[in-house]
Amino acid sequence: MSDQLSAPNTKVNTKLSAEDAYEKAMEHLKADELAVQYRYRSSNLRTAAEFFELAGDYQDASQHAALCREMAEKAEEEGKADVCRAVREREKIAKKDDEWASMQKDLEKLGDYPAAKEELKKVLQVRRKKARKSKVIRSIVLAVIILAAAGIPAGIHNGFFKYMMGWIYSKADMYSMAEAAYRKAHGFADSGEKLKAERLRHLDAAEVGDDVPYGDYTWKILSREDGKIVMIASALKEDSDFYGQPFNKDDADVTWEDSTLRSWLNGEIYEDGFADYEKEHMLLQTAEESGNQEYGTKYKSAGGDYLTILSAEETDGYKDEIGSLSGTWWLRTPGNAEDTAAVMSADHTVLYYGYPVDYTELYVRPVITIEDGWMEEEE
């Protein structure tokens, strides 16, 4: 039991008679009714249990001992919940890092208590952001000194200045801004290699739900497990490659296996949209056989795709992750007939009736799977 929730137990005198031990146990049991802090309640109850156990078969001592231990465990659980509630209140007003560090320490004492583990994630995230901000400030000061020493005004938007800004953001682990700065450096020095390195660092540090660049596009991470990262296209606009593409160019009975959308994604988009080093780590995917749960239409299993799209069934497993995606977009599942395909609506509802396969005013949200763990080695 952690220091946060426990208090020193009273030393039990093992030489007491059964009757005296029973009376001592009752005293601690009554004292528990007056205890406000959970740690003292738990301590009183556990001490009472020890005295009851010392009383042996005297009256109902054994039953009381078991009940006291059960009540002590409950008090400890309530105490842990109380610590979590207190931390949530402190989060609302905390400003300094030492305040967040104190909350981290309190939560870590609770071990594997589920609510504490979730709250600890939030606290650690805030502390990381604050640390990055401090890094940025220190790096900016250093960069200004370097720029001044080089005789280059910090306001000049040339390749050197953008390169230095990329270096600043990189030191602060601000990956997206570092990438943008190196991209604007226009080939200055080794900005191309720096851009690649930042992209890999960004991907290596990203978590489920984060947006990351890969190839020419931005992707949201749907899952990251078993050595694989599954991502779906995000941040789409109507002038992007992934708007206005039909499921199939002709109005015909067609499923994913034979669709022009499949061939376009695994042809033009795959070939032109990714660097060679990125293609090396893209994994082939299989569209498992499935069907439309409302209309009974089905499609066969289709393998060997570097880019695919989600089925209606698969969206159920990613509700939290796709909840921020806008627009209406194609799904792999056929609609009410084989010349239609189901879609995900803008309000995140599967429209099983579907749209005609040659309809063009929709988004496409490709899904890719890449190897996990290769980023540091490549960098």
Side-chain angles (χ1 to χ4, degrees):
M1 187 167 56
S2 71
D3 294 336
Q4 186 72 23
L5 298 177
S6 63
N9 283 346
T10 302
K11 187 175 181 179
V12 176
N13 185 350
T14 58
K15 296 181 180 180
L16 292 174
S17 67
E19 183 178 356
D20 288 341
Y22 189 91
E23 288 181 0
K24 285 286 186 182
M26 293 302 294
E27 289 175 9
H28 280 278
L29 192 56
K30 290 178 181 178
D32 175 63
E33 297 174 0
L34 302 175
V36 176
Q37 295 187 12
Y38 292 107
R39 58 177 179 169
Y40 288 111
R41 291 182 60 190
S42 172
S43 177
N44 279 327
L45 288 163
R46 289 196 179 277
T47 301
E50 290 183 35
F51 277 119
F52 278 129
E53 288 168 352
L54 184 61
D57 295 331
Y58 184 78
Q59 295 190 18
D60 52 0
S62 59
Q63 293 92 329
H64 274 313
L67 179 60
C68 284
R69 293 204 179 277
E70 182 180 330
M71 292 169 63
E73 291 177 3
K74 183 178 180 181
E76 288 164 13
E77 289 296 300
E78 291 174 346
K80 292 176 182 179
D82 193 55
V83 170
C84 292
R85 283 193 294 270
V87 166
R88 284 192 286 270
E89 290 302 315
R90 290 160 65 190
E91 287 175 355
K92 297 176 183 178
I93 58 175
K95 294 181 180 180
K96 298 180 180 179
D97 183 64
D98 57 357
E99 294 175 286
W100 290 94
S102 176
M103 286 185 270
Q104 178 182 340
K105 184 177 179 181
D106 288 345
L107 291 168
E108 286 174 342
K109 289 178 180 179
L110 304 186
D112 292 332
Y113 185 63
K117 291 172 69 176
E118 289 302 313
E119 206 63 42
L120 183 59
K121 288 181 183 178
K122 298 178 186 177
V123 171
L124 291 174
Q125 187 175 37
V126 170
R127 294 201 69 197
R128 282 196 296 267
K129 287 182 179 179
K130 286 184 175 293
R132 288 175 186 172
K133 185 176 181 180
S134 297
K135 274 179 136 182
V136 170
I137 294 172
R138 291 194 299 269
S139 298
I140 288 175
V141 172
L142 180 59
V144 169
I145 293 172
I146 294 173
L147 290 170
I152 302 176
I156 297 177
H157 288 243
N158 55 20
F160 179 73
F161 175 67
K162 291 298 182 185
Y163 185 93
M164 288 304 301
M165 291 307 298
W167 179 81
I168 291 171
Y169 291 130
S170 176
K171 291 297 182 183
D173 293 338
M174 300 176 72
Y175 311 111
S176 295
M177 298 183 75
E179 290 168 30
Y182 282 129
R183 190 178 296 109
K184 292 177 182 177
H186 301 298
F188 181 85
D190 61 345
S191 57
E193 288 301 310
K194 292 290 187 184
L195 173 60
K196 174 183 174 182
E198 288 308 313
R199 176 161 291 190
L200 297 181
R201 290 181 68 219
H202 192 170
L203 181 59
D204 187 47
E207 300 175 352
V208 172
D210 289 348
D211 281 358
V212 294
Y214 200 80
D216 294 339
Y217 310 103
T218 301
W219 308 82
K220 182 178 293 295
I221 297 181
L222 295 177
S223 67
R224 188 167 197 165
E225 56 189 3
D226 300 328
K228 299 177 182 179
I229 306 175
V230 180
M231 305 190 289
I232 188 170
S234 63
L236 302 184
K237 298 181 179 179
E238 290 190 2
D239 60 354
S240 72
D241 290 340
F242 298 139
Y243 181 81
Q245 190 69 215
F247 190 90
N248 197 68
K249 290 184 177 179
D250 299 323
D251 179 14
D253 289 352
V254 65
T255 57
W256 170 252
E257 184 179 16
D258 301 314
S259 67
T260 57
L261 179 57
R262 181 192 181 200
S263 58
W264 174 70
L265 288 173
N266 289 280
E268 179 182 336
I269 296 300
Y270 173 73
E271 293 299 333
D272 301 337
F274 302 91
D276 288 341
Y277 77 91
E278 291 171 319
K279 290 179 184 176
E280 289 176 6
H281 300 283
M282 294 174 67
L283 302 175
L284 289 171
Q285 305 171 87
T286 297
E288 298 296 340
E289 182 176 347
S290 185
N292 188 311
Q293 66 179 33
E294 292 192 6
Y295 296 95
T297 49
K298 297 181 180 180
Y299 62 90
K300 298 178 181 179
S301 174
D305 294 341
Y306 285 108
L307 291 94
T308 185
I309 59 177
L310 294 178
S311 68
E313 289 176 309
E314 289 169 341
T315 61
D316 287 338
Y318 301 122
K319 287 184 178 179
D320 291 340
E321 291 72 30
I322 66 177
S324 61
L325 301 180
S326 60
T328 302
W329 33 284
W330 291 113
L331 296 175
R332 203 169 66 234
T333 304
N336 69 317
E338 288 192 352
D339 61 351
T340 63
V343 300
M344 176 64 74
S345 71
D347 63 357
H348 309 109
T349 301
V350 175
L351 303 181
Y352 286 96
Y353 190 81
Y355 280 42
V357 291
D358 60 346
Y359 191 75
T360 56
E361 296 180 24
L362 293 176
Y363 287 100
V364 178
R365 291 197 180 275
V367 173
I368 61 174
T369 299
I370 63 173
E371 290 179 282
D372 197 359
W374 58 273
M375 288 74 76
E376 290 185 6
E377 180 180 346
E378 183 78 14
E379 182 184 347

